[in-house]
Amino acid sequence: MLAALLSFAACEPKKQLSPWGDRSTPPLGLFVERPDLARHLVAIDAESRAEGLTPRNAYVATGRDGTAFEIRTFERRDKLGRTTYATRVASRWGVVLAVGPLDEDDPRTIATRFVESLPADGGASMQLPTDLNADGFPDVVLASDDGRMAVFTLAPRGAIEIRIDLHGGFRELRMLRAGYALWTHASDAAEPSTERIAPKYERIATFDAGAFVETSAAAQTWHEERARALTEAPENESVVGALDRKLERAFHRALATSKADARERILDELETQNPSDEALRKVWESALDNLATEIETRRAKDRKKSR
């Protein structure tokens, strides 16, 4: 009898133990994300303390869907005594952006310092972050030690760096009918003994097809308008002032077109307008060479765009 009972017990199937209790499958709630901005900020604070970072400022921005982003900035000294920066951005879904601090052997061209504001039209100042590419989400601008700037667009679950194709990088913002534009300028300051030719070559890049580019239709329209504004000579314009204006107008006309032969004709026109003063003529010729170099960067961009 005992043998029969033992035999029966051995044949009885063993009960499987489930990590989910009496359920054979996990509950759906285990796979549901739990938004918690406070928890992610605690994680940022813990990581920053472990990295020896000193907290500086905090900023809040909101996306079109109501997602709140908290931006926190930090500093620390590296072993060489240089100030290094770090920027962290969190949403309720996680840490969406984390850059810096740089180590001693990292290139100083990496943008890690949060930019609070940028110069804008008419001497105004644009507070950041703001929506630069009109996608409904805030954009963060970071700067490197050598002055280069990068733009990151924030999203609920991540951040993407926006490509910027603008010769010389950007320094300021401009507001156009088409939206924000990144702006920069280069000055050609050749100096003879008594006169100075110093045109200011302004460039902009507008958001087009996922990037800020200076070959966009909006940028070309802006250059056309700038060229028209420089057509008429102001009252009591000096000789040098007239030369500056002619160079700047030619520059804007050249960047307003994508046709290489049209740009060549613009340069040819200027070569027939040499000043009569011999000393000034030498500076003018140098300025024409510099202008041709500035315009050549546009030709390279057109070739790249056509590929």
Side-chain angles (χ1 to χ4, degrees):
M1 181 67 177
L2 179 60
L5 289 173
L6 291 173
S7 175
F8 177 79
C11 294
E12 184 180 6
K14 294 181 180 179
K15 185 175 182 180
Q16 299 295 322
L17 297 178
S18 169
W20 306 291
D22 294 334
R23 301 173 61 98
S24 60
T25 58
L28 187 60
L30 288 179
F31 301 101
V32 176
E33 288 184 287
R34 289 176 170 78
D36 190 343
L37 176 58
R39 178 166 61 89
H40 301 309
L41 293 176
V42 168
I44 287 176
D45 290 339
E47 180 253 356
S48 65
R49 286 192 297 270
E51 289 280 344
L53 295 168
T54 301
R56 288 305 179 203
N57 295 299
Y59 310 84
V60 175
T62 305
R64 66 169 185 260
D65 62 350
T67 298
F69 299 92
E70 183 149 339
I71 302 158
R72 293 194 173 179
T73 64
F74 304 87
E75 293 179 6
R76 79 174 182 192
R77 294 273 184 180
D78 65 13
K79 294 177 181 178
L80 301 177
R82 298 173 298 188
T83 301
T84 60
Y85 304 90
T87 301
R88 303 288 185 265
V89 183
S91 76
R92 57 184 176 172
W93 302 109
V95 178
V96 299
L97 179 65
V99 290
L102 300 179
D103 292 326
E104 289 75 17
D105 55 350
D106 287 329
R108 316 316 285 182
T109 56
I110 300 174
T112 60
R113 178 177 59 83
F114 178 75
V115 179
E116 296 181 346
S117 64
L118 281 173
D121 304 80
S125 181
M126 174 61 66
Q127 296 300 308
L128 301 172
T130 192
D131 184 8
L132 296 175
N133 62 346
D135 67 347
F137 286 94
D139 299 314
V140 169
V141 178
L142 303 181
S144 66
D145 288 355
D146 66 352
R148 303 185 195 191
M149 287 191 276
V151 178
F152 292 83
T153 187
L154 304 179
R157 290 175 172 80
I160 300 173
E161 183 174 2
I162 301 176
R163 182 172 62 86
I164 299 172
D165 189 8
L166 178 62
H167 183 65
F170 74 98
R171 307 181 187 188
E172 301 182 10
L173 297 175
R174 292 291 183 268
M175 192 64 194
L176 311 183
R177 289 187 296 273
Y180 283 108
L182 310 183
W183 177 93
T184 190
H185 75 86
S187 292
D188 175 10
E191 293 190 36
S193 56
T194 57
E195 299 285 4
R196 182 174 186 265
I197 297 178
K200 186 168 76 173
Y201 298 133
E202 299 175 279
R203 295 174 180 266
I204 65 165
T206 64
F207 192 74
D208 182 60
F212 282 101
V213 295
E214 57 177 312
T215 54
S216 65
Q220 288 183 333
T221 298
W222 182 82
H223 283 293
E224 289 174 0
E225 294 171 351
R226 293 292 297 134
R228 281 197 296 270
L230 291 165
T231 301
E232 297 296 328
E235 189 176 356
N236 300 321
E237 183 179 48
S238 67
V239 173
V240 172
L243 296 177
D244 284 342
R245 179 174 55 81
K246 289 178 180 179
L247 289 166
E248 291 172 7
R249 180 171 180 268
F251 172 80
H252 288 296
R253 288 176 62 202
L255 266 66
T257 179
S258 58
K259 297 179 179 179
D261 57 343
R263 290 194 290 267
E264 292 295 336
R265 287 195 297 272
I266 291 168
L267 288 173
D268 290 342
E269 290 174 13
L270 280 182
E271 290 178 355
T272 65
Q273 302 178 35
N274 290 331
S276 57
D277 182 88
E278 184 177 352
L280 200 55
R281 190 183 310 125
K282 293 180 180 179
V283 181
W284 172 256
E285 291 171 356
S286 176
L288 288 180
D289 290 339
N290 291 338
L291 174 60
T293 300
E294 288 287 335
I295 293 175
E296 178 61 28
T297 64
R298 175 55 188 270
R299 180 183 299 177
K301 292 179 187 297
D302 286 337
R303 286 197 296 265
K304 182 178 178 181
K305 186 177 181 180
S306 64
R307 290 174 186 170

